[in-house]
């Protein structure tokens, strides 16, 4: 981490300590956590939302401004360091997501989503039938096509949601769940919850009953289907995706199919 970045965030005298942060590398400097960002505009928007967002029962890693008021300095952003670790408490993650999205329901759709052009946005659009993608049949494309035939119209209301919360919620026994950032999508809250469930089934060792524990959510089968299609589209486009790495998603797809 460059010295001028630490100086800008007022932690020049604190020795940086490498830490894991939502599956990525970051550096703890005293009470601050500093991390590289790939999209400065997105990081600045996220910081502006999280600065004053209040979520019942959820800790928010409050963003930190630099000495001249910026959220991002030379591709680096900072927030308060929150103690905790990622745990396989999948239902608690879904519950935290639902509380988070109650709070973000009032956030206006950011204009920067209009110009978003990445694999996440493409995959979500494909999952909702808004975009056609050419997907490798060996790494998820065939399964995507098969499941997409079960897609039905939904009336769920889109809003700002964090679409990548699996593995990104930290738990501290004395303080509860913590959310570190905001990866924005303009999609229903039920879909964001379903993505967590799909991830938990595919890679987190979750029991099948998690599908039923959240079945009270509106249009749950179709939300699950779109979450499943989203993950399949991502996997089929991933440069390291193989038939072997598809196994977890195939397992989840079998469970979801039985509920359609």
């Amino acid at each position: 981490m460059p010295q001028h970045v630490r100086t800008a965030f007022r932690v020049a005298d604190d020795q940086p300590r490498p830490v894991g942060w939502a599956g990525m590398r970051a550096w703890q400097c005293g009470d601050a956590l500093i991390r590289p960002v790939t999209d400065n505009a997105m990081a600045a928007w996220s910081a502006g939302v999280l600065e004053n967002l209040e979520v019942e029962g959820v800790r928010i890693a409050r963003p930190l401004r630099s000495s001249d008021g910026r959220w991002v300095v030379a591709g680096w952003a900072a927030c308060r360091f929150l103690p905790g670790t990622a745990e396989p408490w999948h239902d608690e993650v879904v519950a935290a997501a639902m509380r988070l999205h109650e709070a973000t329901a009032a956030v206006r759709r950011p204009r920067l989503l209009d110009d978003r052009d990445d694999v996440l946005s493409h995959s979500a659009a494909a999952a909702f039938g808004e975009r056609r993608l050419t997907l490798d049949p060996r790494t998820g494309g065939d399964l995507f096509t098969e499941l997409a035939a079960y897609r039905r119209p939904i009336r769920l209301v889109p809003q700002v949601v964090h679409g990548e919360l699996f593995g990104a919620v930290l738990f501290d026994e004395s303080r509860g769940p913590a959310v570190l950032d905001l990866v924005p999508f303009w999609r229903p809250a039920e879909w964001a919850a379903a993505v967590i469930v799909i991830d938990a089934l595919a890679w987190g060792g979750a029991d099948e009953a998690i599908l039923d524990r959240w079945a009270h959510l509106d249009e749950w089968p179709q939300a699950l289907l779109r979450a499943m299609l989203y993950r399949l589209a991502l996997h089929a486009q991933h440069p390291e995706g193989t038939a072997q790495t598809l196994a977890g998603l195939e397992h989840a797809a079998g469970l979801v199919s039985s509920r359609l």
Side-chain angles (χ1 to χ4, degrees):
M1 182 200 316
Q3 177 66 35
H4 75 274
V5 171
R6 291 164 54 201
T7 299
F9 286 113
R10 303 182 181 89
V11 291
D13 296 332
D14 293 297
Q15 184 65 31
R17 181 175 70 89
V19 295
W21 182 86
M24 297 177 285
R25 196 169 189 186
W27 284 262
Q28 181 186 355
C29 300
D31 291 334
L33 188 83
I34 302 179
R35 68 191 189 279
V37 297
T38 57
D39 187 325
N40 290 1
M42 192 76 74
W45 174 86
S46 174
V49 172
L50 295 179
E51 181 181 22
N52 297 307
L53 191 71
E54 296 294 336
V55 184
E56 183 180 357
V58 177
R59 295 177 292 150
I60 300 294
R62 299 298 180 191
L64 298 174
R65 291 185 183 271
S66 67
S67 56
D68 63 1
R70 288 178 291 168
W71 292 122
V72 181
V73 176
W76 295 80
C79 62
R80 292 290 181 192
F81 175 78
L82 294 181
T85 57
E87 301 286 353
W89 300 341
H90 309 305
D91 288 285
E92 287 83 349
V93 174
V94 177
M98 295 306 293
R99 293 196 295 272
L100 172 67
H101 296 144
E102 285 181 15
T104 60
V107 177
R108 295 179 62 181
R109 186 182 188 277
R111 291 182 180 178
L112 54 82
L113 290 182
D114 295 338
D115 300 322
R116 189 173 180 182
D117 185 25
D118 58 22
V119 68
L120 296 180
S121 59
H122 295 171
S123 298
F128 278 79
E130 302 162 356
R131 185 183 185 116
R132 292 179 64 90
L133 296 177
T134 300
L135 302 173
D136 188 333
R138 300 166 300 174
T139 57
D142 279 349
L143 188 52
F144 180 100
T145 301
E146 177 185 337
L147 290 177
Y150 293 93
R151 197 166 42 203
R152 300 291 181 266
I154 58 173
R155 297 181 180 179
L156 298 175
V157 179
Q159 63 164 87
V160 168
V161 297
H162 189 317
E164 293 289 334
L165 277 169
F166 182 76
V169 177
L170 303 184
F171 289 92
D172 182 292
E173 290 184 0
S174 62
R175 301 185 183 182
V179 172
L180 304 177
D181 71 342
L182 187 58
V183 181
F185 290 77
W186 188 252
R187 298 294 174 188
E190 294 83 357
W191 171 81
V195 171
I196 298 168
V197 170
I198 295 300
D199 290 348
L201 290 168
W203 301 298
D207 62 292
E208 178 180 350
I210 192 173
L211 290 166
D212 303 316
R213 290 195 292 273
W214 294 96
H216 61 280
L217 296 180
D218 290 344
E219 302 201 50
W220 185 235
Q222 286 293 314
L224 281 171
L225 175 59
R226 284 159 173 76
M228 189 74 249
L229 293 172
Y230 170 64
R231 278 294 181 239
L232 286 170
L234 278 176
H235 185 274
Q237 297 174 85
H238 197 286
E240 297 181 4
T242 67
Q244 288 71 37
T245 58
L246 183 63
L249 289 175
E250 290 176 328
H251 167 70
L255 299 176
V256 170
S257 296
S258 67
R259 288 162 171 78
L260 295 176

